[in-house]
Amino acid sequence: MNNRLLIATILLLSFLISTGCSSILAGFLGMSYPKAISEKKLERKQKKYKLNEFTHCSVTEDGFWNYMRTCPDVNSVQVFKSGKLIVPKVSAGEKSSCPVVVGRFIDFLLDSTTYETIDSVKLTDYFNSKYIADYENVKFEDSTQYAILVYWASFVGFLNRQNTKKEYASSISRLLESGFAAEVRYVNYDVKEGWSFQKLTKKMLEH
């Protein structure tokens, strides 16, 4: 998917949350159009939503486009086992969902019969020096068997507190407290100052 289509996806999200009933949700939930954010404001957002359980890191501009291209869910979690993505098994006739549904996945992660491995999707497809800022300081240990990425962005608003904090972080924390060995990273995918996002968006609107 090229940059135009990526931008179109973001513009569509913006349109959906600004019209009809979605505009009401946007108002109550604090969702907004993705825009550049400073590191200082980002730190304030982390404190506002009390996202303090795990080590934080941010995507680079390349990482942002990669994430939006492959998993454009506003809040999501990816779990990798031995470097490969694992997802909930889907019963016959049941619709597939985004990579992780916390209620039926995190809480049952110890039962290998509830998930399947996607060999074609690897941790390094999302977590590497090209896609993660300050990668050397936040990278996973070579011996890490389970790596969990919890995504969030300031423009998602209240859902950071409801999904990322209340649902994802609490479920993962319970899992870790039970003795399950895993490394977890909060991954912020906000647009950062200095990126060409606004220029690319303007270019998209002109065509």
Side-chain angles (χ1 to χ4, degrees):
M1 190 182 295
N2 58 31
N3 283 348
R4 282 190 181 183
L5 194 50
L6 291 172
I7 297 170
T9 300
I10 297 170
L11 292 178
L12 177 60
L13 171 63
S14 177
F15 173 78
L16 290 175
I17 67 173
S18 63
T19 58
C21 294
S22 295
S23 63
I24 298 176
L25 289 176
F28 279 108
L29 300 182
M31 295 181 70
S32 62
Y33 183 82
K35 59 184 179 181
I37 183 173
S38 67
E39 292 297 328
K40 191 171 183 179
K41 187 174 182 179
L42 186 59
E43 290 178 5
R44 290 201 298 269
K45 292 291 185 179
Q46 290 178 18
K47 292 180 181 178
K48 176 180 179 179
Y49 298 116
K50 299 180 180 180
L51 305 180
N52 52 14
E53 294 87 352
F54 316 119
T55 299
H56 278 269
C57 57
S58 297
V59 296
T60 61
E61 188 169 358
D62 286 331
F64 172 83
W65 295 120
N66 181 62
Y67 175 74
M68 295 303 294
R69 177 178 64 85
T70 56
C71 188
D73 183 23
V74 292
N75 291 99
S76 67
V77 175
Q78 291 176 312
V79 182
F80 298 85
K81 180 179 180 181
S82 300
K84 297 179 181 179
L85 183 69
I86 52 178
V87 299
K89 286 184 177 179
V90 179
S91 302
E94 183 180 0
K95 288 185 177 180
S96 178
S97 58
C98 200
V100 171
V101 179
V102 172
R104 56 177 291 209
F105 186 75
I106 294 294
D107 291 343
F108 299 98
L109 193 58
L110 292 174
D111 182 1
S112 61
T113 65
T114 64
Y115 63 78
E116 59 186 350
T117 302
I118 308 299
D119 293 329
S120 60
V121 182
K122 299 179 174 57
L123 175 62
T124 52
D125 293 336
Y126 293 88
F127 211 85
N128 56 53
S129 58
K130 180 180 180 181
Y131 292 156
I132 298 295
D134 202 22
Y135 169 76
E136 289 300 321
N137 292 330
V138 296
K139 65 181 181 180
F140 293 94
E141 298 291 336
D142 292 337
S143 58
T144 299
Q145 183 177 21
Y146 288 94
I148 304 176
L149 305 180
V150 182
Y151 291 92
W152 73 282
S154 65
F155 61 81
V156 175
F158 173 77
L159 294 181
N160 286 309
R161 181 174 291 149
Q162 179 63 30
N163 291 353
T164 308
K165 173 74 177 184
K166 186 176 179 181
E167 299 295 336
Y168 296 166
S170 61
S171 295
I172 295 171
S173 293
R174 289 198 306 272
L175 186 68
L176 299 179
E177 289 169 2
S178 73
F180 187 84
E183 280 195 73
V184 189
R185 299 288 183 271
Y186 273 130
V187 183
N188 175 263
Y189 62 98
D190 273 299
V191 177
K192 306 305 187 296
E193 292 181 333
W195 287 7
S196 57
F197 178 80
Q198 292 180 335
K199 183 188 298 181
L200 289 171
T201 302
K202 182 178 180 181
K203 186 176 180 180
M204 175 65 194
L205 291 173
E206 291 174 346
H207 290 76

